[in-house]
């Protein structure tokens, strides 16, 4: 068995694991990143791409935001569409902040390139990963790579391997509780080779179901439709998709989508999940390994960035000042932000979607709430503050 020693073993090479590795490298903390998939798969996983103001600044400060700054699309607001009329929520006027639209897979590409440039280990296609001795001061990671058994001894293990990864299951039985909510619908998402028909995202509430107009670049449009939770994308030929998108996103002022070749199609489940606590011994969870939010509020990747930002600072304090405080505070402090994001994402979802049990009373109540949001500066500010990202709290007290 090949044996290695490092300070932090990171499980998963998604946004959370890669950013954590970069932040640790910047302060001289050694790490090894292990990923079950191959590099091509990891770099081409299409996910959401709305980056909060603070998340973008974190990426820039970490040294992995240069291409995002060149190619990302700055959005100073969004539009809410209901009853055929669009209403703009002006982030800049309400909060002085903005969001950046830049594909998550592009961020991953940037961070993989940065990781490889550091010469710190990043291993793809690892198998049979086991996390051992997590309650000790010297946890171990066992894995197989190219037919060879490996053992890593480390100080900490960061579980950044997503909802279906192995890290959360490594907690002892009874040491962790999962809180979950499943929504009675899903999103059918497409990528189309078509110039976006507008400069900002449009969230549409319609009697036939929610729809979202978004974009990935000046030539690629991203669009979503509310569908049944068990919907088969094969039931949605291109013509049907465009017909339904036009219907749900039509406006009184004649604004219309630009059609183009659909190059990707898939269904995204709508659910919420939170694991408490996010730490046991020397194993700490981050990103989707610890929480899932419905995509309506665009919080998934942003929560992962907030997690590893806090975790990296806690580890820096541990190694630099021999302080355990940040490690002890990691889970409760992260969970404060996570539950606020769950509240906002759930609120946005209920504001814009049709539910199976909806009565006419509920639909009229929903319309009244939308009218209040777009006509009340206080209500619009609440939406804007959450969407651009709540401020980071002080990570560690001195």
């Amino acid at each position: 068995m090949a044996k290695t020693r490092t300070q932090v073993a990171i499980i998963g090479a998604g946004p959370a694991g890669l950013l954590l590795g970069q932040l640790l490298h910047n302060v001289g903390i050694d790490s090894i990143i292990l990923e079950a998939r191959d590099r091509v798969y990891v770099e081409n996983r299409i996910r959401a791409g709305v980056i909060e103001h603070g998340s973008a600044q974190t990426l820039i400060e970490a040294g992995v935001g240069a291409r995002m700054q060149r190619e990302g699309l700055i959005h100073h607001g969004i539009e809410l569409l209901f009853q055929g009329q669009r209403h703009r929520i002006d982030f800049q006027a309400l909060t002085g902040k903005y969001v950046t639209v830049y594909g998550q897979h592009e961020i991953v590409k940037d961070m993989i390139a940065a990781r490889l440039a550091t010469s710190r280990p990043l291993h793809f296609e690892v198998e049979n990963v086991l996390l051992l001795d997590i309650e000790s001061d010297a946890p171990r990671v066992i894995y197989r790579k190219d037919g060879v058994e490996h053992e890593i001894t480390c100080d900490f293990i960061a579980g950044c391997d997503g909802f279906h990864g192995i890290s959360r299951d490594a907690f002892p039985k009874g040491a962790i509780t999962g809180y979950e909510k499943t929504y009675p619908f899903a999103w059918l998402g497409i990528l189309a080779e078509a110039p976006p028909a507008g400069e900002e995202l449009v969230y549409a509430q319609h009697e036939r179901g929610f729809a979202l107009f978004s974009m990935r670049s000046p030539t690629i449009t991203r669009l979503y439709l509310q569908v049944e939770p068990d919907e088969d994308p094969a039931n949605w030929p291109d013509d049907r998709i465009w017909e339904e998108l036009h219907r749900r996103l039509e406006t009184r002022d004649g604004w219309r989508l630009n059609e183009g070749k659909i190059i990707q199609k898939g269904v995204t489940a709508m659910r919420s999940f939170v694991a408490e606590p996010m730490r046991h011994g020397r194993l700490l969870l981050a990103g989707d390994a610890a929480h899932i939010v419905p995509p309506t509020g665009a919080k998934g990747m942003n929560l992962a960035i907030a997690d590893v930002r806090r975790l990296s600072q806690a580890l820096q304090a541990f190694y630099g000042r021999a302080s355990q405080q940040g490690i002890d505070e990691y889970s409760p402090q992260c969970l404060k932000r996570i539950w606020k994001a769950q509240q906002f994402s759930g609120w946005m979802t209920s504001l814009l979607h049709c539910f199976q049990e909806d009565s006419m009373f509920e639909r009229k109540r929903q319309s009244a709430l939308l009218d209040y949001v777009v006509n009340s500066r206080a209500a619009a500010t609440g939406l804007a503050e959450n969407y651009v990202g709540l401020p980071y709290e002080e990570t560690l007290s001195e």
Side-chain angles (χ1 to χ4, degrees):
M1 180 178 288
K3 297 189 176 184
T4 309
R5 172 85 173 100
T6 192
Q7 291 173 295
V8 182
I10 300 172
I11 313 302
L18 290 166
L19 180 57
L20 178 59
Q22 180 70 18
L23 291 169
L24 295 180
H25 167 74
N26 290 347
V27 293
I29 299 174
D30 191 32
S31 66
I32 295 174
I33 302 178
L34 304 178
E35 168 58 47
R37 301 282 192 166
D38 62 43
R39 180 177 176 180
V40 172
Y41 178 89
V42 172
E43 290 188 335
N44 290 278
R45 274 186 295 209
I46 304 298
R47 296 289 188 271
V50 177
I51 307 170
E52 291 178 357
H53 190 93
S55 295
Q57 294 303 309
T58 299
L59 293 171
I60 293 167
E61 292 166 6
V64 293
R67 191 160 71 95
M68 175 192 69
Q69 288 180 286
R70 295 194 305 270
E71 301 177 12
L73 306 176
I74 301 298
H75 286 201
H76 293 99
I78 60 171
E79 292 186 299
L80 300 181
L81 167 60
F82 58 100
Q83 297 176 359
Q85 186 173 352
R86 290 181 292 165
H87 306 263
R88 187 166 186 264
I89 306 296
D90 190 332
F91 297 158
Q92 193 71 33
L94 295 168
T95 70
K97 298 179 180 179
Y98 55 83
V99 296
T100 302
V101 174
Y102 184 67
Q104 177 175 311
H105 64 291
E106 301 296 345
I107 293 173
V108 167
K109 290 177 185 177
D110 296 341
M111 290 195 289
I112 287 176
R115 178 71 179 187
L116 296 177
T118 68
S119 298
R120 294 191 187 269
L122 167 56
H123 301 305
F124 292 100
E125 298 181 85
V126 303
E127 302 174 309
N128 303 333
V129 179
L130 293 175
L131 311 184
L132 305 172
D133 303 332
I134 64 173
E135 294 175 331
S136 76
D137 292 341
R140 296 179 295 133
V141 180
I142 305 289
Y143 69 97
R144 177 184 288 270
K145 169 71 174 172
D146 297 329
V148 178
E149 296 289 336
H150 295 259
E151 178 185 81
I152 301 172
T153 303
C154 54
D155 300 322
F156 296 94
I157 301 173
C160 306
D161 50 345
F163 182 78
H164 298 290
I166 55 97
S167 295
R168 192 171 64 252
D169 290 339
F171 278 53
K173 185 176 180 181
I176 192 169
T177 301
Y179 301 93
E180 190 166 11
K181 176 182 176 64
T182 301
Y183 290 87
F185 41 75
W187 280 10
L188 172 66
I190 68 162
L191 281 177
E193 292 181 338
E199 296 182 352
E200 296 177 340
L201 277 66
V202 178
Y203 288 79
Q205 186 263 0
H206 192 275
E207 62 182 10
R208 294 177 63 89
F210 169 79
L212 172 61
F213 162 80
S214 182
M215 66 287 295
R216 285 294 174 268
S217 75
T219 60
I220 300 293
T221 298
R222 181 71 158 161
L223 297 152
Y224 296 94
L225 287 168
Q226 178 184 342
V227 295
E228 294 299 315
D230 57 351
E231 193 67 73
D232 183 350
N235 295 331
W236 286 83
D238 293 2
D239 288 347
R240 182 187 178 193
I241 290 173
W242 287 116
E243 180 182 358
E244 193 64 24
L245 283 167
H246 284 303
R247 183 181 289 119
R248 298 189 196 182
L249 289 165
E250 65 185 8
T251 63
R252 295 175 185 170
D253 59 11
W255 176 75
R256 284 181 61 83
L257 302 172
N258 294 323
E259 292 190 21
K261 179 182 178 182
I262 295 177
I263 55 177
Q264 187 190 76
K265 187 186 306 183
V267 172
T268 300
M270 298 283 286
R271 67 181 186 275
S272 296
F273 175 83
V274 178
E276 290 191 6
M278 294 168 59
R279 172 204 167 205
H280 185 81
R282 292 294 182 93
L283 172 59
L284 302 101
L285 304 179
D288 287 0
H291 44 74
I292 299 289
V293 291
T296 323
K299 292 291 165 243
M301 179 174 60
N302 293 295
L303 281 178
I305 291 173
D307 288 348
V308 299
R309 179 181 181 275
R310 178 174 289 276
L311 180 53
S312 68
Q313 293 178 344
L315 290 167
Q316 185 178 357
F318 178 86
Y319 288 111
R321 304 201 309 268
S323 172
Q324 179 75 20
Q325 178 186 347
I327 302 300
D328 294 339
E329 292 181 350
Y330 171 72
S331 177
Q333 291 299 320
C334 283
L335 285 166
K336 288 172 62 177
R337 188 181 190 91
I338 290 161
W339 280 113
K340 289 175 183 176
Q342 291 286 4
Q343 159 59 25
F344 175 66
S345 299
W347 178 80
M348 281 281 285
T349 300
S350 65
L351 181 70
L352 296 162
H353 290 73
C354 292
F355 287 77
Q356 292 173 343
E357 69 277 10
D358 273 359
S359 63
M360 185 55 67
F361 180 93
E362 287 302 318
R363 293 189 183 186
K364 287 183 176 292
R365 182 196 61 77
Q366 187 182 51
S367 295
L369 180 56
L370 280 163
D371 185 68
Y372 172 64
V373 169
V374 301
N375 287 294
S376 163
R377 184 179 180 87
T381 299
L383 190 161
E385 284 180 343
N386 281 275
Y387 200 98
V388 301
L390 298 175
Y392 292 127
E393 296 181 7
E394 290 297 325
T395 303
L396 298 174
S397 57
E398 295 298 331

